[in-house]
Amino acid sequence: MRRFIRFSRQVWLIPLTALVMVAASSCRTEPAMLTIGVVNFTSILNPVYDGFKLGMADLGYVEGQSVEYVYSGGVGEMADLDPEAREIIARKVDLVFAISTAATLKVQQATAGTRIPVVFAPVVDPVQSGMVNSLSRPGGNLTGIRTGGFAAKELEWLVVLAPGIQRVLVPHNPDDGASVAGLAALREAANKLDVELVVHVARTREELNPVLTSLPEDVDAILILPNPVALSAIADFAHVAVARRLPLASTSYAQLEAGALMSYGPDYTRMGRQAARLADKVLKGTAPADLPVETSEFFFNVNLRTAHDIGLTIPDEVLQQTDRIIRLP
């Protein structure tokens, strides 16, 4: 009889344990999907977004499983940034990734009074632009990657590659903080190098058309600042520069692939990965106010195909200092 009772208890114990396990499993909830909104001024900066997604994937964020991105592409016009930023905020995202100085300023306005964190890249001078209190202690809901300080070196390398240049055409958008800061640094460098800057003001792509169709005859080089309006027309500038046999300097390897002679500035994909590391820290609980703004690395790149097309010979000692080279076929 005792054996029967012990056996009966064991029989009843099995389904009871199973019920407890089922109940426990039903109480478990899958972690909520994170939503990251992306506001970008121009598609020329899409490599920043691509690098950001790659960086997030490396950190364990699987698109479609643990994170989703709300991104409709580069807006292209300054007037479209404000509604784009407000629409992203209305989606109640967990974080906003703002690409470019112009986009970051609009996102900053749209997130004012909210707890939505913002990571930006690239921004030339976030302190001067009023985005953060300081680089070491941002103090608000924004942090990110700065790229200031390379415009002067971009001009220096251009002069090294083409030592005879005297007048350099510079497209400029006075409404864009990156262009304003870049031009200020460029003017100082130009004075030291005895180079005259021919500044063409263009706030929109349409305002660039006159200089693209009728380039001033007395300019002997073109330099593009971190100005999204001008960068969006880089292929057109490259075509005009080759037709006139003029050296064209720009800011990143992406424009080198479009036909620029040289570039000096950040690598967009690497910058996106760098921004992803900050986003990861924010999503795991660190406040942007406590995350220092980081500075991107700068790279010097040369396009030997373009050099050949404009009849320019680049010395080996200069090529040895480059980070990347597009070589002749």
Side-chain angles (χ1 to χ4, degrees):
M1 187 68 175
R2 290 178 182 177
R3 290 180 182 177
F4 176 77
I5 293 173
R6 283 198 295 267
F7 178 76
S8 299
R9 287 175 180 172
Q10 291 172 358
V11 171
W12 281 104
L13 189 59
I14 292 172
L16 181 60
T17 303
L19 287 172
V20 171
M21 292 176 65
V22 171
S25 63
S26 65
C27 293
R28 294 195 195 104
T29 57
E30 294 296 325
M33 173 111 44
L34 294 169
T35 302
I36 297 178
V38 182
V39 181
N40 182 14
F41 181 34
T42 173
S43 59
I44 199 73
L45 294 175
N46 273 343
V48 180
Y49 172 58
D50 296 337
F52 181 80
K53 291 178 66 177
L54 289 172
M56 293 297 286
D58 290 342
L59 292 165
Y61 297 86
V62 180
E63 186 174 4
Q65 295 182 20
S66 57
V67 65
E68 64 176 350
Y69 299 95
V70 180
Y71 179 49
S72 57
V75 298
E77 298 290 341
M78 292 288 289
D80 295 330
L81 274 174
D82 188 50
E84 179 76 2
R86 286 189 278 107
E87 182 177 343
I88 289 292
I89 301 308
R91 298 286 296 269
K92 301 186 184 302
V93 296
D94 297 289
L95 181 142
V96 179
F97 183 41
I99 304 175
S100 79
T101 297
T104 303
L105 287 171
K106 292 301 182 182
V107 170
Q108 182 183 29
Q109 295 172 10
T111 57
T114 75
R115 294 184 177 180
I116 299 175
V118 179
V119 173
F120 56 76
V123 168
V124 173
D125 191 336
V127 177
Q128 184 178 0
S129 299
M131 299 172 187
V132 299
N133 295 333
S134 70
L135 298 180
S136 59
R137 300 286 292 181
N141 67 317
L142 288 83
T143 190
I145 312 299
R146 67 181 288 269
T147 60
F150 66 85
K153 192 67 176 179
E154 181 185 351
L155 181 60
E156 289 177 18
W157 276 122
L158 178 60
V159 172
V160 169
L161 294 179
I165 63 173
Q166 295 180 329
R167 304 186 81 239
V168 179
L169 176 72
V170 182
H172 169 57
N173 179 6
D175 294 339
D176 183 79
S179 187
V180 171
L183 183 60
L186 203 61
R187 290 190 189 281
E188 185 175 347
N191 289 334
K192 295 178 181 178
L193 295 168
D194 196 25
V195 170
E196 180 183 353
L197 302 181
V198 180
V199 179
H200 176 81
V201 174
R203 293 177 170 84
T204 65
R205 177 64 183 266
E206 289 71 24
E207 292 180 354
L208 280 176
N209 289 335
V211 74
L212 287 168
T213 56
S214 183
L215 198 68
E217 290 293 333
D218 55 352
V219 300
D220 41 30
I222 304 171
L223 185 144
I224 307 296
L225 291 168
N227 168 4
V229 171
L231 288 173
S232 67
I234 190 64
D236 296 320
F237 275 111
H239 177 76
V240 170
V242 170
R244 284 277 302 272
R245 298 171 70 84
L246 302 178
L248 168 64
S250 196
T251 61
S252 79
Y253 187 81
Q255 289 97 57
L256 211 71
E257 294 178 316
L261 169 68
M262 61 143 285
S263 67
Y264 183 79
D267 180 288
Y268 288 160
T269 304
R270 293 191 188 192
M271 185 195 308
R273 287 182 178 273
Q274 190 176 357
R277 293 196 297 272
L278 291 178
D280 175 54
K281 292 178 181 179
V282 170
L283 291 171
K284 289 179 177 175
T286 304
D290 301 325
L291 276 176
V293 173
E294 297 182 6
T295 301
S296 65
E297 293 182 79
F298 301 143
F299 302 90
F300 173 43
N301 310 301
V302 168
N303 188 335
L304 289 180
R305 297 177 190 174
T306 299
H308 175 268
D309 291 341
I310 66 174
L312 186 66
T313 300
I314 301 177
D316 288 339
E317 57 266 27
V318 174
L319 294 177
Q320 290 170 2
Q321 300 178 66
T322 60
D323 294 288
R324 298 177 73 179
I325 299 173
I326 293 181
R327 299 187 180 275
L328 288 165

